[in-house]
Amino acid sequence: MSTAFDKKRFHERLKTQFLGRTLICRESVGSTQDLAREEARKGAAEGTIVLAEEQTKGRGRLGRAWVSPPGENIYATLLLRPELGVLRYLSMIAPLAIAQAVEEETGLAVAIKWPNDIMISGRKLAGVLIESELREERVEYSLVGMGVNVNLAPQRFPEIEASATSLKEQTGKETTREEFLATLLNRFEGLYLAAKHGEPPYKAWRERLETLGKSVQVTW
Ligand code: BTN
């Protein structure tokens, strides 16, 4: 049985300076990307995280839907206001942070499938959707949407049954969403600050690419 996201438990594990210090948590939204965009336009601080128990119109890349049943998974959008030079690294930082958090919390080995799908044993565990608003070559805001299948049973959803997995399916036990999300943001902030200080994540991201050296077909 799922329980509501426990903010206290999340903050106890959070070690960041600014990521996740403001948490907006909703029972049900269309997409956390849309709520985060509203907050960004109202001037919300960098590092604000928008979280929902359920999404009724969760979006994936390339116009796909993101299966978002209540209480089981992480549906989160992180609001950032990076310099233009750091913006291009967000699509590496996000999957890397998720991969590092999975390894830290569960010990499972994780790969990244180009450009930023997070895979375990050839199945998709998590995805990243980045939407940014630029004005006159300045980044107004970036919305880093992360969907992680934490306690999902993929067999309940025929549309993803063959292609998706979850931490629960892989480990055989429940993972605490609060602790996982805090670890994810701890990792994300480390990678983000490093990129800001001139240490891009390119090498670490490339080393995890499961498509490295293989021929891939890209559909645009
Ligand atoms: C993909 O792999 O296609 C990207 C999936 C991104 C899903 C997340 S869940 C939180 C945020 N809100 C959304 O509507 N999408 C992203």
Side-chain angles (χ1 to χ4, degrees), residues 12 14 57 66 69 94 96 108 133 143 162 164 174 177 215 220:
E12 275 165 7
L14 193 67
K57 291 197 178 106
W66 186 256
L96 257 181
L108 292 166
E133 179 85 16
L143 307 173
E174 301 244 327
R177 290 181 300 157
S215 145
W220 208 248

Side-chain angles (χ1 to χ4, degrees), residues 62-156:
L62 309 172
R64 297 191 188 115
W66 186 256
V67 172
S68 310
E72 301 180 356
N73 296 325
I74 288 174
Y75 318 115
T77 299
L78 182 60
L79 163 61
L80 296 174
R81 299 185 186 278
E83 303 267 301
L84 203 50
V86 174
L87 176 66
R88 65 189 152 138
Y89 294 124
L90 294 183
S91 65
M92 296 177 193
I93 291 173
L96 257 181
I98 296 171
Q100 290 177 354
V102 170
E103 286 176 357
E104 186 178 330
E105 291 294 317
T106 67
L108 292 166
V110 187
I112 296 171
K113 183 174 167 192
W114 189 92
N116 48 28
D117 288 350
I118 296 86
M119 313 291 292
I120 297 184
S121 307
R123 288 174 183 238
K124 185 156 165 172
L125 176 81
V128 173
L129 175 70
I130 301 178
E131 299 173 333
S132 300
E133 179 85 16
L134 280 85
R135 184 173 303 163
E136 292 168 7
E137 308 212 0
R138 259 197 56 232
V139 183
E140 290 280 310
Y141 57 82
S142 277
L143 307 173
V144 183
M146 295 175 281
V148 185
N149 296 332
V150 180
N151 295 315
L152 179 89
Q155 316 79 264
R156 284 177 34 227

Side-chain angles (χ1 to χ4, degrees), residues 10-11 14-23 45-49 78-81 93 97 146 181-182 184-193 196:
F10 166 71
H11 283 294
L14 193 67
K15 302 276 177 288
T16 58
Q17 294 168 33
F18 61 103
L19 292 196
R21 292 286 151 197
T22 302
L23 169 68
E46 180 171 61
T48 297
I49 185 123
L78 182 60
L79 163 61
L80 296 174
R81 299 185 186 278
I93 291 173
M146 295 175 281
L181 183 62
L184 166 52
L185 295 182
N186 293 343
R187 294 293 192 154
F188 200 118
E189 189 172 277
L191 293 162
Y192 185 58
L193 290 177
K196 265 175 172 297

Side-chain angles (χ1 to χ4, degrees), residues 31-33 55 58-61 66 76 117 124 127-128 145-147:
S31 162
T32 55
Q33 296 291 100
Q55 297 186 118
R59 307 199 278 278
R61 290 174 48 250
W66 186 256
D117 288 350
K124 185 156 165 172
V128 173
M146 295 175 281

Side-chain angles (χ1 to χ4, degrees), residues 24-26 29 31-40 50-51:
I24 298 171
C25 191
R26 293 286 151 82
V29 295
S31 162
T32 55
Q33 296 291 100
D34 297 336
L35 181 54
R37 179 172 288 103
E38 280 173 32
E39 295 296 327
V50 175
L51 192 73

